[in-house]
Amino acid sequence: MAIVRAHRVNLPKHVVAVASVVVVQSAVASPIDLSNTLPNFFGGGVGSTTEYAGGKNRIVGAVPGMRYATSGGHLFEWYGTYAQYNFGDLTGVQWGPALALRLGRRDVDDNVINQIHSVDTTLEGGGFIGYEYSHIGDLPYRLRGEITVVTNAGVEYTGARVSLNTSAWFPVHARVFIGGGLGATWVSGGFNETYYGVTAQDSAKSGLPAYTPGGGLNQITSWIAAIYQITPRWYAGAMVYYQRLMDDAANSPIVTQRGTRNQITYGVGIAYAFR
């Protein structure tokens, strides 16, 4: 199962990019690989998150997820709004291209925020590099670390977004896995201006003070999850994912006056494993 990185959705009453699909990861934590027991899967989940990054109103939605190891030893992972293809090893050094759908902010429930410039949904592209260690023994466990760099190439924002994510998984029962992870994201000034800035025109319309953020540390994240093997083919899971906005993003009036820097996402899901 995997949980989608917690990017917010702003589509017709918002289908949210949140869910535990059977190997839980996180929204912006690394996708999980339990290749010894779950080589391939397809599933989906439902969850709840805030309406947009920095907001406090909540929405509910559903997303799909998939993991597929090719016969050539490569690995495709797709979790809601994020997908990557690993040209490296299933364990050891991993690297490859990455795509992310950065969801916008439009027609939200907060009428003040609706007076601020809207942000369209856009596609980000880039790549990742990481390392995965799998320990097989009396107490098996799996560790993974990954750095992902993506950019929007100026379509909605200028600059780039860099994420560092770590995860650890271990069994507590023959059918139960427990996992957790930590992460952090750094962004360009252009990213923060788009998603957290308040222009002079925005200020005149909304009443919020004008604000021009710079780049830097955008957020820190943590998550905890559990996976239960129902049958040899079916898995279920649940997770809680926490984001804390930092520095210029956290100091935006969008966050301090209309929202919250503490963002919590949670979800449940189910997946079918196949060979």
Side-chain angles (χ1 to χ4, degrees):
M1 216 188 306
I3 180 116
V4 191
R5 306 171 183 255
H7 299 321
R8 274 67 185 183
V9 181
N10 256 347
L11 299 172
K13 231 12 191 180
H14 325 314
V15 178
V16 85
V18 180
S20 292
V21 192
V22 181
V23 177
V24 184
Q25 147 209 34
S26 177
V28 169
S30 293
I32 245 340
D33 173 19
L34 297 177
S35 57
N36 293 324
T37 58
L38 188 61
N40 301 308
F41 76 80
F42 182 83
V46 295
S48 173
T49 190
T50 54
E51 195 174 17
Y52 55 90
K56 61 182 179 181
N57 295 325
R58 301 195 66 81
I59 51 176
V60 176
V63 289
M66 181 178 184
R67 176 190 185 279
Y68 180 71
T70 70
S71 58
H74 297 157
L75 178 65
F76 171 73
E77 293 175 291
W78 167 40
Y79 304 114
T81 57
Y82 179 82
Q84 66 181 38
Y85 191 88
N86 174 28
F87 285 110
D89 299 323
L90 294 182
T91 58
V93 177
Q94 301 177 337
W95 61 276
L99 289 175
L101 189 66
R102 168 60 58 174
L103 299 159
R105 183 185 65 220
R106 183 186 297 274
D107 299 327
V108 300
D109 288 338
D110 188 327
N111 289 329
V112 173
I113 297 300
N114 279 333
Q115 303 306 310
I116 296 175
H117 65 275
S118 61
V119 183
D120 290 333
T121 295
T122 190
L123 186 66
E124 298 173 309
F128 75 96
I129 186 168
Y131 188 87
E132 184 166 313
Y133 174 74
S134 178
H135 177 78
I136 307 299
D138 294 337
L139 181 61
Y141 58 87
R142 188 175 295 275
L143 306 175
R144 188 173 186 176
E146 185 173 286
I147 296 175
T148 304
V149 181
V150 293
T151 180
N152 175 245
V155 176
E156 277 297 312
Y157 68 84
T158 58
R161 182 168 59 87
V162 181
S163 297
L164 169 65
N165 293 292
T166 63
S167 64
W169 284 87
F170 59 92
V172 294
H173 183 271
R175 291 189 174 187
V176 180
F177 288 91
I178 297 294
L182 298 171
T185 301
W186 291 263
V187 299
S188 63
F191 180 98
N192 270 345
E193 285 183 25
T194 296
Y195 294 95
Y196 300 99
V198 179
T199 67
Q201 185 178 9
D202 293 337
S203 178
K205 294 169 63 177
S206 68
L208 295 178
Y211 182 70
T212 304
L217 181 63
N218 175 261
Q219 67 175 5
I220 56 175
T221 61
S222 62
W223 58 272
I224 186 170
I227 300 169
Y228 176 70
Q229 185 182 22
I230 304 169
T231 71
R233 294 291 189 184
W234 288 97
Y235 291 74
M239 63 81 64
V240 177
Y241 176 60
Y242 171 71
Q243 298 164 274
R244 182 171 175 83
L245 297 177
M246 303 296 291
D247 297 346
D248 283 18
N251 293 327
S252 167
I254 294 172
V255 178
T256 60
Q257 296 190 27
R258 307 302 302 181
T260 174
R261 69 186 299 180
N262 298 304
Q263 308 278 286
I264 297 177
T265 296
Y266 51 85
V268 296
I270 191 166
Y272 177 77
F274 61 93
R275 301 289 170 176

